[in-house]
Amino acid sequence: MTASIHRGQVILPGSTVNGQPATLGVMGGGQLGRMFVQAAQRMGYFTAVLDPDAASPAGLISHHHIQTDYLDEQGLAQLMQRCAAITTEFENVPAPALVTLGAHRPVAPGADAVAIAQNRVLEKAHFDRCGVACAPYAVIETAAQLAAVPDTLFPGILKTARMGYDGKGQMRIKTRAELATAWAELKGVTCVLEKMLPLKAECSVIVARGWDGAMVSFPVQLNLHRDGILAVTEVYEGNLPKALAEQAVAATKSIAEDLQYVGVICVEFFVLEDDTLIVNEMAPRPHNSGHYTLDACDQSQFDLQVRTLTGLPLVSPRPYGPAIMLNLLGDTWLAFNDAPPWDKVLALPGTHLHLYGKLKASKGRKMGHLNVTGTTVAEVRATALKAAELLGLEPF
Ligand code: ATP
Ligand code: MG
């Protein structure tokens, strides 16, 4: 093993580290890894991706692709050999792999924070500690806990404590009998039952925090989900009441601060009918709701991920103007026989297409996103609605 590199040690773009061009590593080769790699490469860093999939979106465009399992010792050793610092792009990367890497290289976010975000029970306990309210819930690990669930939690949503994303590992529950059946179907793994809340809106906040504790944030994102998957994000002044937006940013900062978090973090919130803010979950990485920053801000969430990892200064990102992001799911490919009308969409001024290089579409698979920018909210909304219509997406 080459010499260890300290946490917070600045890794300058274009420099040489341990005799190699400064190289940044990422655990996971999905679209988030791909956009991190693109941001890092634009600044002159070399990149390495560890992902078992030969055709992973990030692996395809990285200088190095280490194609092993996340816990493969040789794979992890190679990643450390190549890289000056390492980040992660999806929260289900096994935390022990990050512990291994963290012994010799700066790893951001760290294994502790990722382990908390990976487990809804620990995550909710963290929110409680930070004084940020979450939906009423009960932990179900044993038959006794199942029987003791209070009536007030019905109707509710049963969520597995681990490995959930895009609404997977979740079941809507109306009665106690349904709860018992659902838990059995989930094979009795640890779950939380959350009370189903009447949502007026959903929003999220992305914060970047450096090794020195400096923090910068993006404005609050207003999110529309369909079938448990993000469909539309709208960002402009007035997308949410000002006091609520400020409260969400402050809550996200306290959640990041309390974790001593380093890197980019996203916290998702529910807004109730009476404008109460309830925290839903956090993602220890850039987030789908922050993809608009690629075209609508002077620094994207991926640029900030590069800066936090390399110890470069954090400067507040500046939005250029209103923006809307439409998520592009495999459903659109299926509806257009694999050829959505991009020529028509791109004829609309202010549209920016991002496709992730995935060769096969399937229902619900995230294939890309379309960012829409412009000078006024009315103009951006009109263009985004027109693009949605051309792509057969429901209006919003
Ligand atoms: P992600 O892809 O964001 O990681 P996930 O699978 O972890 O998704 P959640 O964020 O927990 O799932 O829930 C997905 C969606 O389901 C939420 O965005 C919201 O629309 C709805 N939902 C979840 N919990 C509740 C609740 N307690 N009350 C009402 N709606 C809820
Ligand atoms: Mg979510």
Side-chain angles (χ1 to χ4, degrees):
M1 172 66 50
T2 45
S4 286
I5 300 163
H6 307 293
R7 282 189 185 93
Q9 183 176 324
V10 179
I11 301 159
L12 288 175
S15 64
T16 301
V17 182
N18 282 344
Q20 304 184 74
T23 302
L24 304 182
V26 55
M27 291 288 280
Q31 61 268 17
L32 298 171
R34 179 183 174 98
M35 290 181 268
F36 167 77
V37 160
Q38 288 167 335
Q41 291 182 349
R42 206 175 48 222
M43 280 183 78
Y45 293 103
F46 280 50
T47 59
V49 169
L50 190 148
D51 188 298
D53 178 2
S56 76
L60 285 176
I61 64 158
S62 180
H63 295 89
H64 308 287
H65 178 189
I66 300 163
Q67 208 188 310
T68 66
D69 188 77
Y70 297 113
L71 285 167
D72 185 280
E73 276 178 31
Q74 280 186 9
L76 295 174
Q78 260 189 56
L79 190 67
M80 282 190 275
Q81 200 72 41
R82 291 257 182 234
C83 297
I86 297 156
T87 186
T88 164
E89 66 114 34
F90 85 125
E91 64 255 52
N92 293 329
V93 162
L98 299 180
V99 174
T100 303
L101 296 170
H104 301 283
R105 293 289 179 268
V107 172
D112 296 356
V114 172
I116 292 174
Q118 279 174 348
N119 184 323
R120 289 189 196 275
V121 177
L122 302 180
E123 186 179 58
K124 286 179 190 301
H126 177 66
F127 294 150
D128 282 342
R129 226 179 14 250
C130 297
V132 185
C134 45
Y137 70 100
V139 177
I140 303 176
E141 246 171 344
T142 63
Q145 284 173 324
L146 180 76
V149 163
D151 288 339
T152 49
L153 294 184
F154 295 94
I157 305 189
L158 186 67
K159 304 182 178 182
T160 57
R162 302 178 65 89
M163 295 303 242
Y165 69 97
D166 290 346
K168 295 184 175 70
Q170 298 200 0
M171 293 163 108
R172 303 199 165 204
I173 305 288
K174 290 207 199 69
T175 62
R176 265 176 201 286
E178 274 182 29
L179 177 63
T181 314
W183 193 52
E185 247 172 73
L186 293 170
K187 307 209 164 44
V189 296
T190 303
C191 286
V192 296
L193 178 70
E194 252 179 61
K195 185 180 173 65
M196 175 80 97
L197 299 172
L199 310 187
K200 181 157 94 178
E202 295 189 64
C203 65
S204 57
V205 174
I206 293 169
V207 160
R209 186 173 181 279
W211 299 100
D212 59 356
M215 269 197 274
V216 297
S217 58
F218 288 101
V220 66
Q221 292 124 203
L222 174 63
N223 300 327
L224 172 68
H225 290 79
R226 293 188 180 126
D227 300 326
I229 305 179
L230 182 65
V232 182
T233 294
E234 301 186 62
V235 188
Y236 38 78
E237 229 157 277
N239 61 352
L240 284 154
K242 194 161 183 276
L244 201 67
E246 283 169 1
Q247 194 190 343
V249 172
T252 305
K253 285 186 169 168
S254 83
I255 287 165
E257 181 68 37
D258 198 80
L259 282 172
Q260 291 294 293
Y261 190 85
V262 177
V264 170
I265 186 170
C266 178
V267 178
E268 294 181 58
F269 298 92
F270 300 141
V271 180
L272 305 187
E273 288 302 335
D274 62 356
D275 276 355
T276 307
L277 190 72
I278 298 286
V279 64
N280 174 22
E281 59 174 357
M282 60 184 174
R285 50 169 172 78
H287 193 257
N288 197 163
S289 62
H291 290 355
Y292 75 98
T293 62
L294 285 164
D295 299 299
C297 299
D298 65 352
Q299 295 178 79
S300 75
Q301 59 173 347
F302 303 100
D303 293 328
L304 291 180
Q305 189 181 16
V306 172
R307 284 181 182 236
T308 51
L309 184 63
T310 55
L312 288 172
L314 293 182
V315 177
S316 278
R318 186 176 65 85
Y320 294 133
I324 294 181
M325 182 216 62
L326 304 180
N327 239 4
L328 302 171
L329 303 181
D331 310 53
T332 301
W333 275 247
L334 301 181
F336 285 93
N337 214 352
D338 271 340
W342 303 127
D343 49 350
K344 295 199 179 75
V345 171
L346 293 171
L348 303 170
T351 53
H352 313 264
L353 180 63
H354 299 254
L355 297 185
Y356 307 146
K358 297 183 182 177
L359 297 177
K360 191 148 175 38
S362 57
K363 196 171 158 27
R365 186 170 197 211
K366 290 177 177 170
M367 301 294 286
H369 64 272
L370 184 79
N371 286 339
V372 182
T373 57
T375 45
T376 66
V377 176
E379 174 198 343
V380 171
R381 276 194 64 88
T383 305
L385 285 167
K386 183 76 196 149
E389 189 190 326
L390 287 168
L391 293 169
L393 305 174
E394 277 190 41
F396 48 89

PDB file of all heavy atoms in Angstrom, residues 225 268 280-281, ligand 2:
ATOM      1  N   HIS A 225     -43.757  13.225  -6.309  1.00  0.00           N
ATOM      2  CA  HIS A 225     -43.489  11.792  -6.502  1.00  0.00           C
ATOM      3  C   HIS A 225     -44.690  11.137  -7.159  1.00  0.00           C
ATOM      4  O   HIS A 225     -45.833  11.497  -6.876  1.00  0.00           O
ATOM      5  CB  HIS A 225     -43.250  11.105  -5.149  1.00  0.00           C
ATOM      6  CG  HIS A 225     -41.962  11.477  -4.495  1.00  0.00           C
ATOM      7  ND1 HIS A 225     -41.802  12.660  -3.810  1.00  0.00           N
ATOM      8  CD2 HIS A 225     -40.782  10.836  -4.429  1.00  0.00           C
ATOM      9  CE1 HIS A 225     -40.556  12.717  -3.350  1.00  0.00           C
ATOM     10  NE2 HIS A 225     -39.918  11.630  -3.714  1.00  0.00           N
ATOM     11  N   GLU A 268     -35.001  14.674   2.873  1.00  0.00           N
ATOM     12  CA  GLU A 268     -36.339  14.768   2.279  1.00  0.00           C
ATOM     13  C   GLU A 268     -37.368  15.052   3.376  1.00  0.00           C
ATOM     14  O   GLU A 268     -37.313  14.458   4.449  1.00  0.00           O
ATOM     15  CB  GLU A 268     -36.723  13.450   1.603  1.00  0.00           C
ATOM     16  CG  GLU A 268     -35.875  13.094   0.403  1.00  0.00           C
ATOM     17  CD  GLU A 268     -36.349  11.781  -0.212  1.00  0.00           C
ATOM     18  OE1 GLU A 268     -37.520  11.685  -0.607  1.00  0.00           O
ATOM     19  OE2 GLU A 268     -35.541  10.851  -0.273  1.00  0.00           O
ATOM     20  N   ASN A 280     -38.616  13.105   6.395  1.00  0.00           N
ATOM     21  CA  ASN A 280     -38.872  11.745   5.910  1.00  0.00           C
ATOM     22  C   ASN A 280     -37.607  10.901   6.018  1.00  0.00           C
ATOM     23  O   ASN A 280     -37.526   9.991   6.821  1.00  0.00           O
ATOM     24  CB  ASN A 280     -39.394  11.782   4.472  1.00  0.00           C
ATOM     25  CG  ASN A 280     -39.543  10.391   3.856  1.00  0.00           C
ATOM     26  OD1 ASN A 280     -39.660   9.396   4.574  1.00  0.00           O
ATOM     27  ND2 ASN A 280     -39.522  10.311   2.540  1.00  0.00           N
ATOM     28  N   GLU A 281     -36.599  11.229   5.225  1.00  0.00           N
ATOM     29  CA  GLU A 281     -35.373  10.420   5.271  1.00  0.00           C
ATOM     30  C   GLU A 281     -34.212  11.242   4.724  1.00  0.00           C
ATOM     31  O   GLU A 281     -34.403  12.325   4.184  1.00  0.00           O
ATOM     32  CB  GLU A 281     -35.550   9.137   4.464  1.00  0.00           C
ATOM     33  CG  GLU A 281     -35.886   9.385   3.007  1.00  0.00           C
ATOM     34  CD  GLU A 281     -35.927   8.105   2.183  1.00  0.00           C
ATOM     35  OE1 GLU A 281     -35.637   7.026   2.722  1.00  0.00           O
ATOM     36  OE2 GLU A 281     -36.236   8.205   0.984  1.00  0.00           O
TER      37      GLU A 281
HETATM   38 MG    MG B   2     -37.523   8.928  -0.321  1.00  0.00          MG
END
